Amino acid sequence: MITPANDVEDHGEVFLDEDDIVEEINVDEEDLPDAADDDADSGSDAEAFDEADDSMHIFTGHTGELYTVACSPTEAQLVATGAGDDKGFLWKIGQGDWALELQGHKDSVSCVAFSYDGQLVASGSFDGVIQVWDISLGTLKCTLDGPGAGIEWVRWHPRGHIVLAGSEDSTVWMWNADRSAYLNTFSGHASTVTCGDFTPDGMFLFFLVVIYLFLFLFGYLNCFIIYSGKTICTGSDDASLRVWNPRTGENIHVVKGHFYHTEGLTCLVITADSSLVLTGSKDGSVHIVNIATGKVVSSLASHTDSIECIGLSASAPWAATGSMDKKLIIWDLQHSLARCTCEHEEGVTCLTWLGATRYVATGCVDGKVRIWDSLSGECRKTLRGHTAPIQSLAMSPDGSHLLSASLDGTARVFEIDEFR
């Protein structure tokens, strides 16, 4: 039994003799703990977050986790971010004394997006509302509402001020931002609409420009804008892809079930000729669907965990996919084969091709941004600075800067001139 300390009588100094020894143990001096080792161990956790910061600018205007970052398509220094502090911001690279707060949301700002001409920026929030801001005036242009739950994503029409958004309430909404007018609702999904976009329809651009001029003269421009983005594709947590007619709201195709995803869709991307859509899922699979027929034409199978991001090369028939299985895979779409696999230390959360180059940037759970050579599969550069997972990446329109948004509450700017 252990005697309580306050019951022990004080007998002064106590001496031990050889009869008191129970066991003798030999200790090597090299095995003894060193004070310096203790100091090193105590600082190991701090050192993990005290790596070199490779960024040239840090935006710290937010007070919550950052979820999204976007770059203006026309102004190389202008950036938009959204965060869990219910705020969006417009700010400029290298100008720490300038920022415009996008006020008014009542919940986290989940997504931000610039219009094709850089005149407007939209912020979507979990409060179910989208705000559209006039950048030149720095004022709120309109508020778009209707969805009964949070906004998951926002996309602009490729050639007009038409806004498309997917909601947690399983619907997709479309508005005309110039007139602050509701245009259509697309209903049919059975769960959160996690991803979506207009088709580019770029192959018809020349003819559409001619029609555009004609319709502008006769006042039918809004009809043309909706027509030129011929189709809408949306993916849902209900494990289905839907193809829509933007003018009528008609559901043209539903892709689900056998030979398709078995769990919710997480991301999609549409080819430049508007013929194919690639979809990624929580089940770790990637499928390629013919938009015109609604048929699965190929599948890309190599990942073993949720697909978080997909991107298409602008200079080759290649795709890049990032997954929580810690891999970036570069695919040859003509043969549906993996060209190379790029291993990460943690899950890959976001990616972006660096313009028309062969390089792909990835954001990771470990807080690092990496730049990969899609030809060799080699990591050409690791960009450090964040201390929490990366949620979003964007590249400036001149290709000189890479932007990252992180759960550490900051957005960082990295110089990437060497990869242009």
Side-chain angles (χ1 to χ4, degrees):
M1 182 179 71
I2 300 176
T3 306
N6 57 1
D7 290 340
V8 178
E9 295 182 12
D10 185 2
H11 296 289
E13 295 183 25
V14 178
F15 298 92
L16 299 177
D17 56 30
E18 292 185 355
D19 295 332
D20 294 314
I21 297 174
V22 177
E23 183 179 4
E24 186 174 346
I25 301 174
N26 293 321
V27 178
D28 192 327
E29 290 185 1
E30 293 182 359
D31 295 332
L32 292 174
D34 187 83
D37 292 340
D38 291 341
D39 292 340
D41 291 340
S42 63
S44 60
D45 291 339
E47 289 173 4
F49 297 104
D50 193 28
E51 296 178 329
D53 191 341
D54 301 309
S55 63
M56 55 81 65
H57 182 120
I58 305 173
F59 181 72
T60 58
H62 289 286
T63 58
E65 298 175 335
L66 267 71
Y67 301 134
T68 179
V69 61
C71 293
S72 166
T74 56
E75 188 175 345
Q77 307 303 313
L78 188 62
V79 180
T81 49
D85 56 6
D86 306 349
K87 296 176 183 178
F89 274 100
L90 283 176
W91 50 277
K92 294 184 177 180
I93 297 171
Q95 298 183 32
D97 58 347
W98 187 92
L100 173 65
E101 183 179 335
L102 309 180
Q103 303 177 8
H105 285 298
K106 298 176 182 176
D107 206 335
S108 298
V109 176
S110 56
C111 46
V112 291
F114 286 91
S115 61
Y116 77 103
D117 55 8
Q119 294 180 5
L120 306 174
V121 65
S123 57
S125 168
F126 289 144
D127 62 11
V129 171
I130 294 170
Q131 293 185 331
V132 178
W133 295 76
D134 185 310
I135 294 173
S136 62
L137 299 177
T139 58
L140 179 65
K141 181 178 178 65
C142 62
T143 298
L144 308 175
D145 55 18
I151 303 298
E152 287 283 309
W153 51 269
V154 171
R155 296 289 184 273
W156 287 92
H157 189 279
R159 286 179 293 280
H161 290 168
I162 305 298
V163 178
L164 186 72
S167 171
E168 291 177 319
D169 70 359
S170 76
T171 62
V172 180
W173 291 66
M174 187 169 68
W175 302 266
N176 183 313
D178 286 333
R179 296 189 289 111
S180 186
Y182 160 81
L183 294 177
N184 223 331
T185 304
F186 308 91
S187 300
H189 284 298
S191 188
T192 300
V193 185
T194 55
C195 50
D197 209 347
F198 291 101
T199 55
D201 294 312
M203 64 187 297
F204 304 108
L205 181 58
F206 173 76
F207 302 102
L208 291 174
V209 168
V210 175
I211 298 173
Y212 177 95
L213 294 174
F214 175 81
L215 294 177
F216 177 79
L217 293 174
F218 289 92
Y220 295 101
L221 182 56
N222 287 331
C223 295
F224 163 76
I225 287 174
I226 297 175
Y227 174 74
S228 65
K230 284 186 173 182
T231 309
I232 291 170
C233 296
T234 59
S236 168
D237 206 32
D238 66 8
S240 76
L241 168 75
R242 289 178 180 259
V243 180
W244 310 86
N245 183 318
R247 290 170 293 164
T248 66
E250 175 193 1
N251 191 177
I252 303 170
H253 298 299
V254 181
V255 186
K256 64 179 181 179
H258 197 46
F259 297 122
Y260 200 54
H261 299 296
T262 59
E263 296 183 54
L265 275 67
T266 55
C267 50
L268 65 76
V269 64
I270 301 170
T271 57
D273 63 2
S274 301
S275 64
L276 303 172
V277 56
L278 283 71
T279 58
S281 166
K282 294 177 182 177
D283 65 11
S285 66
V286 177
H287 293 294
I288 304 175
V289 177
N290 183 302
I291 295 175
T293 65
K295 302 297 183 183
V296 177
V297 296
S298 186
S299 299
L300 309 178
S302 279
H303 287 292
T304 58
D305 205 337
S306 175
I307 307 296
E308 297 297 306
C309 44
I310 304 179
L312 293 173
S313 168
S315 58
W318 299 348
T321 56
S323 169
M324 293 305 293
D325 67 4
K326 308 179 184 180
K327 296 177 183 177
L328 166 75
I329 299 181
I330 308 298
W331 301 90
D332 179 345
L333 295 181
Q334 291 181 331
H335 302 93
S336 297
L337 295 174
R339 286 184 49 84
C340 55
T341 299
C342 309
E343 301 283 351
H344 293 66
E345 295 177 10
E346 297 290 344
V348 179
T349 56
C350 49
L351 67 82
T352 184
W353 286 84
L354 301 186
T357 73
R358 67 177 189 263
Y359 301 109
V360 183
T362 57
C364 192
V365 172
D366 64 10
K368 297 183 179 67
V369 176
R370 295 173 175 84
I371 298 178
W372 303 84
D373 187 329
S374 64
L375 293 178
S376 65
E378 295 177 355
C379 182
R380 294 294 301 274
K381 196 162 191 176
T382 299
L383 302 171
R384 297 173 173 83
H386 286 295
T387 58
I390 310 294
Q391 292 292 94
S392 179
L393 291 174
M395 187 184 70
S396 62
D398 62 0
S400 62
H401 296 103
L402 183 63
L403 285 292
S404 57
S406 169
L407 295 182
D408 66 10
T410 69
R412 278 173 157 77
V413 184
F414 301 97
E415 292 180 324
I416 54 170
D417 281 320
E418 63 193 281
F419 298 104
R420 285 203 281 182

